[in-house]
Amino acid sequence: MSKGRGTGDGGGCPPPPETRPARVAVLLSGRGSNFVALADGCARGEVPAEIVLVLSDRPDAPGLARARERGIPTRVIPRKGLGQQEQERQMVAAVRAAGTEWVCLAGYMRILGAEFVAAFPERILNIHPALLPAFPGREAQRQAFEYGVKVSGCTVHLVDAGCDTGPIVAQRAVPVLDDDTTETLAARILEQEHRAYAEALRLLLTRGWHVEGRRVVFG
Ligand code: GAR
């Protein structure tokens, strides 16, 4: 069993009040709307955190421009030419150099290797556009739509070395409507992703929590 928040010192429940925002690095590969939702939540004071680095494997990721507009430092570490191990070593170094306590994956479309995950135990979060454990991996909204489920949603979870398999922090459900397309369903889920991600990070930073087996237990 391990306890939050943050220091791995045996933790406490409830945690002591924090006086400074947690330092967060965001990893993204695409448009970055979840990053923007997190950044806005921090700026509004709803999430006691500061995004200090946006890191991408893709130089053309639109999320990078959205970070620069907000004055947040960015780094691009492409996998091409480096290979996964070296790329992830460089990413660990960049995240550590930014003095980061938490890593939030926001549409980072690669599965992190065991070394990266082990570098930040229970401090990496991911948002996935389905109600895990259903529909892990890519194109989760399409998988759910084509399967014919009547309810789908999103999941925020701690990251382990598997593909979308870590302990669940928060989930939000949405209906699948008869006249939906994959695109309209994805848009309905995305709206909830933006709420769920900020809310999950806020909970982890402000409440006592620990992991019991697969369960994230608050309070
Ligand atoms: C989001 O829907 C996110 O849940 C998904 O990629 C999208 C990124 O959008 N992530 C995954 O599918 C990871 N398995 P965004 O760049 O606008 O945040």
Short mmCIF file of all heavy atoms in Angstrom, two decimals, residues 109 128-129 132 135-140 143 163-164:
data_model
loop_
_atom_site.label_atom_id
_atom_site.label_comp_id
_atom_site.label_asym_id
_atom_site.label_seq_id
_atom_site.Cartn_x
_atom_site.Cartn_y
_atom_site.Cartn_z
N MET A 109 0.36 9.83 -27.31
CA MET A 109 -0.14 8.63 -28.00
C MET A 109 0.90 7.51 -28.11
O MET A 109 0.95 6.80 -29.11
CB MET A 109 -0.69 9.02 -29.37
CG MET A 109 -1.85 10.00 -29.29
SD MET A 109 -3.15 9.55 -28.12
CE MET A 109 -4.09 8.43 -29.14
N HIS A 128 -8.17 8.78 -20.49
CA HIS A 128 -8.51 7.86 -21.57
C HIS A 128 -9.99 8.05 -21.93
O HIS A 128 -10.84 8.12 -21.04
CB HIS A 128 -8.25 6.42 -21.13
CG HIS A 128 -8.51 5.44 -22.22
ND1 HIS A 128 -7.66 5.27 -23.29
CD2 HIS A 128 -9.57 4.60 -22.43
CE1 HIS A 128 -8.16 4.37 -24.11
NE2 HIS A 128 -9.32 3.94 -23.61
N PRO A 129 -10.31 8.10 -23.24
CA PRO A 129 -11.69 8.41 -23.64
C PRO A 129 -12.62 7.21 -23.69
O PRO A 129 -13.31 6.99 -24.69
CB PRO A 129 -11.49 9.05 -25.02
CG PRO A 129 -10.29 8.35 -25.58
CD PRO A 129 -9.40 8.07 -24.40
N LEU A 132 -12.70 2.60 -18.71
CA LEU A 132 -11.81 1.44 -18.55
C LEU A 132 -12.38 0.51 -17.48
O LEU A 132 -13.03 0.96 -16.56
CB LEU A 132 -10.40 1.92 -18.16
CG LEU A 132 -9.65 2.68 -19.26
CD1 LEU A 132 -8.38 3.31 -18.70
CD2 LEU A 132 -9.31 1.75 -20.43
N PHE A 135 -12.40 -0.94 -23.71
CA PHE A 135 -11.86 -0.19 -24.83
C PHE A 135 -10.54 0.55 -24.53
O PHE A 135 -10.45 1.77 -24.68
CB PHE A 135 -12.91 0.78 -25.37
CG PHE A 135 -14.25 0.13 -25.57
CD1 PHE A 135 -15.37 0.59 -24.90
CD2 PHE A 135 -14.37 -0.98 -26.39
CE1 PHE A 135 -16.60 -0.03 -25.06
CE2 PHE A 135 -15.60 -1.61 -26.56
CZ PHE A 135 -16.72 -1.13 -25.89
N PRO A 136 -9.52 -0.18 -24.09
CA PRO A 136 -8.20 0.45 -23.94
C PRO A 136 -7.56 0.68 -25.31
O PRO A 136 -8.08 0.21 -26.33
CB PRO A 136 -7.40 -0.61 -23.15
CG PRO A 136 -8.04 -1.91 -23.53
CD PRO A 136 -9.51 -1.60 -23.77
N GLY A 137 -6.46 1.40 -25.33
CA GLY A 137 -5.70 1.58 -26.58
C GLY A 137 -6.25 2.71 -27.43
O GLY A 137 -6.97 3.58 -26.96
N ARG A 138 -5.91 2.65 -28.71
CA ARG A 138 -6.25 3.74 -29.63
C ARG A 138 -7.71 3.73 -30.04
O ARG A 138 -8.35 2.69 -30.02
CB ARG A 138 -5.40 3.62 -30.89
CG ARG A 138 -3.99 4.12 -30.66
CD ARG A 138 -3.14 3.95 -31.89
NE ARG A 138 -1.79 4.37 -31.58
CZ ARG A 138 -1.30 5.57 -31.87
NH1 ARG A 138 -2.02 6.45 -32.52
NH2 ARG A 138 -0.07 5.89 -31.53
N GLU A 139 -8.19 4.90 -30.44
CA GLU A 139 -9.54 5.07 -30.99
C GLU A 139 -10.60 4.45 -30.10
O GLU A 139 -11.47 3.70 -30.56
CB GLU A 139 -9.60 4.50 -32.41
CG GLU A 139 -8.67 5.22 -33.37
CD GLU A 139 -9.07 5.01 -34.82
OE1 GLU A 139 -10.22 5.37 -35.16
OE2 GLU A 139 -8.24 4.49 -35.58
N ALA A 140 -10.50 4.75 -28.81
CA ALA A 140 -11.43 4.17 -27.85
C ALA A 140 -12.88 4.56 -28.14
O ALA A 140 -13.80 3.76 -27.97
CB ALA A 140 -11.05 4.62 -26.45
N GLN A 143 -14.06 2.40 -30.93
CA GLN A 143 -14.27 1.04 -30.43
C GLN A 143 -15.61 0.93 -29.70
O GLN A 143 -16.38 0.00 -29.90
CB GLN A 143 -13.17 0.65 -29.44
CG GLN A 143 -11.77 0.50 -29.98
CD GLN A 143 -10.85 0.04 -28.85
OE1 GLN A 143 -11.13 -0.95 -28.17
NE2 GLN A 143 -9.77 0.74 -28.65
N CYS A 163 -0.97 -1.01 -20.84
CA CYS A 163 -1.69 -0.08 -21.73
C CYS A 163 -3.05 0.25 -21.11
O CYS A 163 -3.95 -0.58 -21.15
CB CYS A 163 -1.86 -0.71 -23.12
SG CYS A 163 -2.84 0.31 -24.23
N ASP A 164 -3.15 1.43 -20.49
CA ASP A 164 -4.40 1.89 -19.88
C ASP A 164 -4.89 0.96 -18.77
O ASP A 164 -6.10 0.74 -18.61
CB ASP A 164 -5.49 2.06 -20.96
CG ASP A 164 -5.09 3.05 -22.04
OD1 ASP A 164 -4.44 4.06 -21.72
OD2 ASP A 164 -5.41 2.82 -23.22
#
